[in-house]
Each structure stands twice: as C-alpha cells, then as structure tokens.
Amino acid sequence: MSATAPAPRAVARVRLVLVSHSASVAEGVCELAAQMAPGVRLVPAGGTEDGGIGTGYERVEDALRAALDDADATAVVLTDLGSAVMTVEAVLEAEPELAERSRLVSAPFLEGAVAAAVTAHGGGDLDVVARSAEHAGTMFGAAGDGDTAPVPETAVGSGRDAGAGTGAVRTVVVPNPTGLHARPAAVLARMVAGLGVAVTIDGVNGASVLEIMKLGAGQGSTVEVRASGTGAAEAVDAVVGAIEGGLGDL
Amino acid sequence: MTLDVTWALLWVRLTAESVRAAKDELTELDRVIGDGDHGENLDRGFTAVSAKLGALEEQPARIDEVLKIVATTLMSKVGGASGPLYGTAFLRAAKVTGIPELDSQGVVALLEAALEGITARGHAEAGQKTMVDAWQPAVDAAEAAAGAGDDPERVLAAAARAAADGARSTTPMVATKGRASYLGERSAGHEDPGAASTRLILDAAVRAAEERG
C-alpha cells in the first residue's frame, strides 16, 4: 500500500472471521470492532452448534463462506484458545478454496480484532490487515515495553519518517470528555489512514487505533501531531482540525 | 482376509457403543487433568455419526466414504480439541482408503495417515502425554506386523495392543502439550483421556474385524 491507496469502499475487501469457544464472546468482539470500523464485514463463529462452549467445524466453515461471499473478498481469521485454532486449520485443510483466500493469524482476540478491523476499514489488503492483528499482540504484552514498542507498518507506511526532514508539527488540546478513547481513536486512525501521509500523534503511528488508545490522552491533555513529506502541512492541519472538532464525540 | 466397508461400518458402530459405555470414565479422566468434557464430547460425536449413517438412504459402498462421514461429523459435533484431532485423523485416513478392500499394507496406511493428521493438527510428539502416545506405538506395531506377513486382522490386533500399552504408559507422564500441561507435575498419576479413547477406537476396529465373520 502507498500514498495512492484507493479510498475505502462501502464494504472493505478484507473481512474478519472471529472464532471463539463462546458465542457471546465472538458476537461481543464483533460488536465492539464494528463500532470502530463500521465498513468492515465481521462474522462471528462462536460456540458449538448446539449452543455450548467449544468450537464447531460447520460454524467456522459457514462463517468463512459468509465472509468470502464476494469473489474478490479475503478474510483474516482470529481465534481465542487452542482448539479453536485446530478447528480453523481443519476447515482450511478440508476446504482449499476457502484456504486460498483466508489468513489465520496468531493475535490477541480482542485487540487483534479491533486493530485488524480498523486497518481493513482503511482499505488495507490481506497482508496489511493480518500484520496489524499480529502486531496488536506486541502492544499489550509485558508491562513497560510500551515506550519501546516499534511503530508498525500500516497502510500508510511507518510513522518513523515523520520526524525527519521537511515536515510539519502542531500541538492540539484534546477536548473530548473521555480523551482519545476507543471510538474517537478509531475515527482518528481511520482518518489518518485515508490521508496517505505518515502522521504521528505524540510519536506513535496515527493510523493505529491501538497505539492512539495506549497514549491515554485524556481531556485537556496536549498532543503533538507530526507529518513529513508531500502534503505534510495539510495532513497535520486536517488531523488537528479533526481532534479539535471532537472526532464525532462532542 | 481383507477388510471392506462392512468392517468399517461395524467399526464405527462398535466404537460408538464403546465410547458410550466408557463415557463417564473418560470424563472422569478428563476432569482430573483437563476440562472434564472428553467423554461427553466424544459420545455426542459418535452418536451423531451413527445417526448420520443410519439416516442415509443408501449405505456407503467404500471404506473412505464411511471415514469421511466420521471425520466431518466429529469435527462438527465434538466441541473440544478432540473434534479437529480425530476429525483430521479420519479425514486423512479416508484419503488413503479409496479402494474396495484393505490388505495388511492398507491397514498400515490407514493408521499412518491418521497419526499424521493428529500430529499435523496438534503438533504433539510421543512422550508428551497425549493421544500420540497411543497412536505412535500402534502405527509402529502395525508396520512390524504387516512386515512380518500378518493378515489385516492381526495387524489391527497388534496396533490395538500397542495402543493400550501406550495409553497405560501415559499415566506416570507429566503433560507438556494440551490442556493438561497447565497442571505441570500434577498431571502425573492419571491416564491421558485422549490416549484412553484411542485405545477404545482401535480395540473396536479389532472386534469389528473378528465379528464380521
């Protein structure tokens, strides 16, 4: 993906299939991710066919078929516990035509789903969406590693470049009562992903919903918005304007 | 004497009966070192297999058709890890049994394919207190018996005996794979439920060969 990435479609090409031992967990995570990425098809596959705790082959197969209903659709599959992985692998082994267009990722179920959904909403392809899910696993790992967490590659490239060379930088006060929490963070990340310019918010990747949330920027806190390269000033102005505008949360 | 679809159907029926009879015992083993659902899960799975076979208008004509139905049904109906594990085992076994009758080498191929499916899915090795500790010696014994010129029934019998010994050998083991590994040292002292159910399944295969007449 590059600065010439196409604008997000009404429904993103990459879909998510969420496989959990519990129907409630799969549906709940879909519900949460859907709020942050309304343009992504999220298909839950939770519990056994008779409503119990576990994972079911047909449920997973049906969910994959539902996710891949368009000829050009692809799917990232997230799982919770061990036997959910085995069930997905069994389905993919038995159904090669589904396996061709699917990617089973090793990622934390909730954080991975949110990160992948927002990236998919931004128009990321299968590789980029899968990577954003897997990267989510390194973000909430050992306590204290946050300061050294690498800026992930995303649909708009690495935010590391933003500090170097010709660039633009502005500070802005966060007006939202709850700060840059989940939903406004998702709105911001989607917007940044659509700009096609690498933007950082307080040094973290502005296109990553998880990194923005992890800043813990509360109401009244000041954050620094940086960008570099062509369109940097316009991008920074747009992001500052969006934050000042409350990101739909005021 | 070769084994045909009649044997396969009888194998499935006897397995279902065996699992039903041992349901509480398997669940108790799993309660101690797992999540306590192996007996019920497997019983539900094989009950569904029997129902599916019983509802067919025309009985399967080949062994692989029977094994494919077992595979897909177990994967659908068994909620725990044993669903995809046994499901993949029977699926891989079906792939090598698309022939009218099995000779001794055919039995070996079936068992080897099943073991490959289990290790592909579960990534376990012998000695980790899993069903592989029953399947691996079963395959080894079957290969030896077939190599010595035994007929299919005796090859199965050798495999089943080795599986039973293998299952018993899991009792003192400390689990390093699967749910029981969460318990560490405390997993020692109980037979692995997956190895125990493997013993039942292979024992049923032998009885099916004997009873077929």
Side-chain angles (χ1 to χ4, degrees), chain B residues 61-77:
Chain B
R62 288 199 323 248
I63 294 171
D64 64 318
E65 294 170 36
V66 177
L67 300 186
K68 180 104 194 280
I69 289 170
V70 174
T72 52
T73 309
L74 290 184
M75 286 200 261
S76 294
K77 300 296 178 190

Side-chain angles (χ1 to χ4, degrees), chain A residues 21 48-50 53-59 81-91 93-95, chain B residues 37 44 52 72 75-82 84-85 88 91-92 95 117 120-123 179 182:
Chain A
H21 280 59
T48 57
E49 266 107 53
D50 55 3
I53 294 288
T55 50
Y57 182 91
E58 280 167 25
R59 285 219 153 182
L81 302 169
S83 62
V85 178
M86 287 193 227
T87 302
V88 173
E89 286 177 347
V91 172
E93 176 175 333
E95 315 287 342
Chain B
D37 57 5
R44 183 174 54 237
K52 204 156 191 170
T72 52
M75 286 200 261
S76 294
K77 300 296 178 190
V78 181
S82 51
L85 287 170
T88 306
L91 198 64
R92 298 271 182 108
K95 284 182 187 165
R121 200 88 313 131
H123 308 288
R179 183 76 64 96
Y182 298 173

